Amino acid sequence: GLGIIGIAHFIRKNFEIFSSILIGGGLTVLYFTLTIAFREYHLLSQNTTFGLLTIVTIFSIVMAMLYNRQVLAIFSIIGGFTAPLMISTGESNFVFLFGYLTILNLSMLYMAWRKNWQIISYIAFVFTTIYSFAWINEEHTQKQFIFFIALYLLFAITTLINYFRKNEFSVWNCILFITNTIFSAVLLSM
């Protein structure tokens, strides 16, 4: 995976699109290699694997920002959101999961603000909403409430970024803002 990324870095100036595809492939190889090392061969513990997957996600976000490639950011955010699923053992650790999702969404907010890559916001919102509805648990009502409020605020800020930067509020930002408000209200009322 690192070899593929190295080759892509070497040819990035002459073959921009192809190098982006190679970096995405290298990142995919890293994600799957770590997952298989944990699941199939038990070479790594769950915490170690999750830490390494997080490092790969951070690395991929940094690569997307440095190379100014939205495609890499999309690979990064999807890989970041699927990482907990890749190493899940079926035990629920709500605080750890939603702490991780909050950090991942903060990086999404930074990318959306810094590079104006709004598609990242929509992808992150879809994954976060799926996780939120899947992990509702009556035992953690106060903790859930705090995370759901934090995630609502993150996505509300994300939708308002264009308004503050360009004094424009697009249809997609309006849809995201309304959907975020509705889903958050439903989650907080459960």
Side-chain angles (χ1 to χ4, degrees), residues 147-159:
F147 279 116
F148 293 155
I149 290 289
L151 293 173
Y152 170 77
L153 291 173
L154 272 169
F155 286 106
I157 291 168
T158 301
T159 58

Side-chain angles (χ1 to χ4, degrees), residues 10-161:
F10 182 71
I11 66 170
R12 77 184 183 285
K13 292 182 182 176
N14 295 331
F15 304 99
E16 285 186 24
I17 295 172
F18 184 63
S19 70
S20 293
I21 293 169
L22 279 180
I23 290 173
L27 293 171
T28 303
V29 167
L30 289 175
Y31 278 117
F32 283 118
T33 301
L34 291 170
T35 303
I36 291 169
F38 167 71
R39 285 196 172 278
E40 300 299 322
Y41 297 107
H42 309 289
L43 298 174
L44 304 169
S45 70
Q46 185 180 26
N47 292 338
T48 303
T49 306
F50 188 75
L52 291 171
L53 289 172
T54 302
I55 290 169
V56 170
T57 301
I58 292 167
F59 174 71
S60 62
I61 289 170
V62 169
M63 296 278 290
M65 298 289 288
L66 288 176
Y67 290 169
N68 197 24
R69 306 254 172 86
Q70 187 173 352
V71 174
L72 290 179
I74 292 169
F75 275 119
S76 303
I77 214 77
I78 291 172
F81 277 105
T82 57
L85 295 175
M86 287 189 239
I87 61 161
S88 175
T89 58
E91 296 177 17
S92 179
N93 189 343
F94 182 84
V95 174
F96 183 74
L97 174 66
F98 278 84
Y100 171 75
L101 291 179
T102 303
I103 293 168
L104 191 59
N105 281 313
L106 282 169
S107 68
M108 172 276 309
L109 175 64
Y110 179 74
M111 281 192 291
W113 172 75
R114 183 90 167 112
K115 297 291 187 177
N116 199 24
W117 293 337
Q118 294 300 311
I119 188 73
I120 303 300
S121 309
Y122 308 129
I123 293 169
F125 178 75
V126 168
F127 275 107
T128 302
T129 302
I130 291 169
Y131 274 114
S132 297
F133 279 108
W135 263 271
I136 291 178
N137 187 342
E138 293 178 14
E139 297 172 13
H140 306 310
T141 53
Q142 186 176 10
K143 293 173 189 171
Q144 286 177 170
F145 184 79
I146 292 168
F147 279 116
F148 293 155
I149 290 289
L151 293 173
Y152 170 77
L153 291 173
L154 272 169
F155 286 106
I157 291 168
T158 301
T159 58
L160 296 173
I161 284 174

Side-chain angles (χ1 to χ4, degrees), residues 158-177:
T158 301
T159 58
L160 296 173
I161 284 174
N162 272 350
Y163 179 74
F164 292 124
R165 285 179 114 183
K166 301 177 184 175
N167 206 15
E168 96 182 20
F169 199 65
S170 72
V171 172
W172 288 105
N173 284 334
C174 186
I175 290 170
L176 181 60
F177 188 79

